[in-house]
Amino acid sequence: MKAALAIDFGGTKTIVGIVREDGQLLAQRRFATDTSQGALPYFQACLNELGECMRESHVPPEQIAGIGVTVPGLADPVRGMLLHAPFLGLKEVPVAATIRSLWPDYPVFVDNDVNACALAEMKFGGALACGSFVWVTVSTGIGGAVVIDGKVWEGEHHLAGELGHIVVEWDDDANVCGCGNCGCLEVHGSGKAIERNVRRYLAGSGRDSELAAYFARTNAPVTAESAAAAAMAGIEAAAYIFRQAGRHIGKMLSYTVNMLNPAAVFIGGGVSRSFSLLQPGIMDTFSVAVIGEANKSVPILPTGLGYEAGLLGAASLAFTK
Ligand SMILES: [Zn+2]
């Protein structure tokens, strides 16, 4: 059975590994992403770790289908380039050419992490039977990918599927987004937005609330993850903040589903582990804003990929291209 070498190049951490064509992870290594010395030493470090993975898993070189690399930003899969990763301050990095210069044995495939997760959902997850579907990553920010007839729709300039930058709040007090616009989903429905709303509540009307007492008692840092734990422990204010975030996600999904009539929507990313907290809000807005029975019954599901979504995504680039 074929296997792929996978590099999940993240903003803060990198995971490399070997994934078999049936989705089984044979070996993996994780380390902090350090691109401060440039792309060449960074990718050299990735390949050194992959070499270790190959020795450990005893996969013969002739079974390797290729090297799949997911990058944390805008990518050009045709040229194998990372075009722009604002978080890392990187622009125009020739990822495929750099890896080929170091290790010319295998073809190299590059795409952004969100598109790759959508491919992985199709190859290994819940989208096996879906010709067309929508993938949404809800984590610190919000990303998206649109799959039409089995292919990620890239758009004319690789900008398709920017679901985090669909405007969902048009009021004057809408939050300003990193993209420069106001009211984007990313600043109303992401993990960062949830964290900001918890902080606002604790500094205002929630100063003496049950939620404030929860944070004082547990000594947990204020994050979307700890707020989810508070909500799961039955603290209504925390559940309400998740429900509000879900309502904004539901607005975006209603526009997207009315436009595309997909087979399903899959939600991944760190915040999707709290899917049960987002779901009531998603349905509040989604169910009243989509038309037609076929769209109303589009399933909105948490990803079937689990924790290794990024690595499976990188591997699926090598299997599907
Ligand atoms: Zn934006």
Side-chain angles (χ1 to χ4, degrees), residues 168-231:
V168 293
E169 194 54 79
W170 291 89
D171 289 347
D172 291 342
D173 61 352
N175 296 306
V176 180
C177 182
C179 73
N181 293 344
C182 287
C184 292
L185 176 61
E186 179 151 300
V187 280
H188 290 278
S190 64
K192 209 165 188 172
I194 290 167
E195 181 185 319
R196 183 202 59 226
N197 289 343
V198 171
R199 286 184 195 281
R200 276 186 190 166
Y201 174 71
L202 294 174
S205 63
R207 203 178 298 266
D208 300 315
S209 63
E210 201 186 351
L211 187 57
Y214 174 87
F215 280 110
R217 186 173 70 249
T218 59
N219 221 4
V222 176
T223 60
E225 199 177 351
S226 57

Side-chain angles (χ1 to χ4, degrees), residues 26-227:
L26 300 178
Q28 65 166 314
R29 294 273 198 287
R30 51 183 73 209
F31 47 94
T33 297
D34 179 8
T35 52
S36 60
Q37 307 301 312
L40 195 74
Y42 167 73
F43 286 113
Q44 182 67 68
C46 291
L47 296 177
N48 291 346
E49 297 290 343
L50 276 175
E52 289 297 315
C53 289
M54 281 180 78
R55 273 184 282 282
E56 188 181 302
S57 61
H58 306 291
V59 175
E62 62 273 17
Q63 277 182 16
I64 302 292
I67 305 177
V69 189
T70 57
V71 297
L74 207 57
D76 178 346
V78 176
R79 292 190 296 147
M81 300 275 293
L82 165 59
L83 298 177
H84 189 200
F87 183 78
L88 290 166
L90 294 174
K91 268 189 176 167
E92 299 287 326
V93 179
V95 174
T98 304
I99 291 176
R100 275 198 301 266
S101 75
L102 293 164
W103 210 353
D105 312 0
Y106 307 111
V108 182
F109 307 92
V110 179
D111 205 343
N112 100 12
D113 45 6
V114 179
N115 287 354
C117 279
L119 285 178
E121 193 74 52
M122 200 159 40
K123 182 135 185 74
F124 306 120
L128 290 169
C130 298
S132 301
F133 66 95
V134 174
W135 165 279
V136 189
T137 298
V138 185
S139 83
T140 311
I142 292 185
V146 171
V147 175
I148 298 175
D149 294 337
K151 289 215 159 63
V152 175
W153 184 257
E154 299 273 355
E156 292 296 323
H157 303 97
H158 313 292
L159 274 170
E162 287 289 347
L163 306 180
H165 300 283
I166 286 179
V167 172
V168 293
E169 194 54 79
W170 291 89
D171 289 347
D172 291 342
D173 61 352
N175 296 306
V176 180
C177 182
C179 73
N181 293 344
C182 287
C184 292
L185 176 61
E186 179 151 300
V187 280
H188 290 278
S190 64
K192 209 165 188 172
I194 290 167
E195 181 185 319
R196 183 202 59 226
N197 289 343
V198 171
R199 286 184 195 281
R200 276 186 190 166
Y201 174 71
L202 294 174
S205 63
R207 203 178 298 266
D208 300 315
S209 63
E210 201 186 351
L211 187 57
Y214 174 87
F215 280 110
R217 186 173 70 249
T218 59
N219 221 4
V222 176
T223 60
E225 199 177 351
S226 57

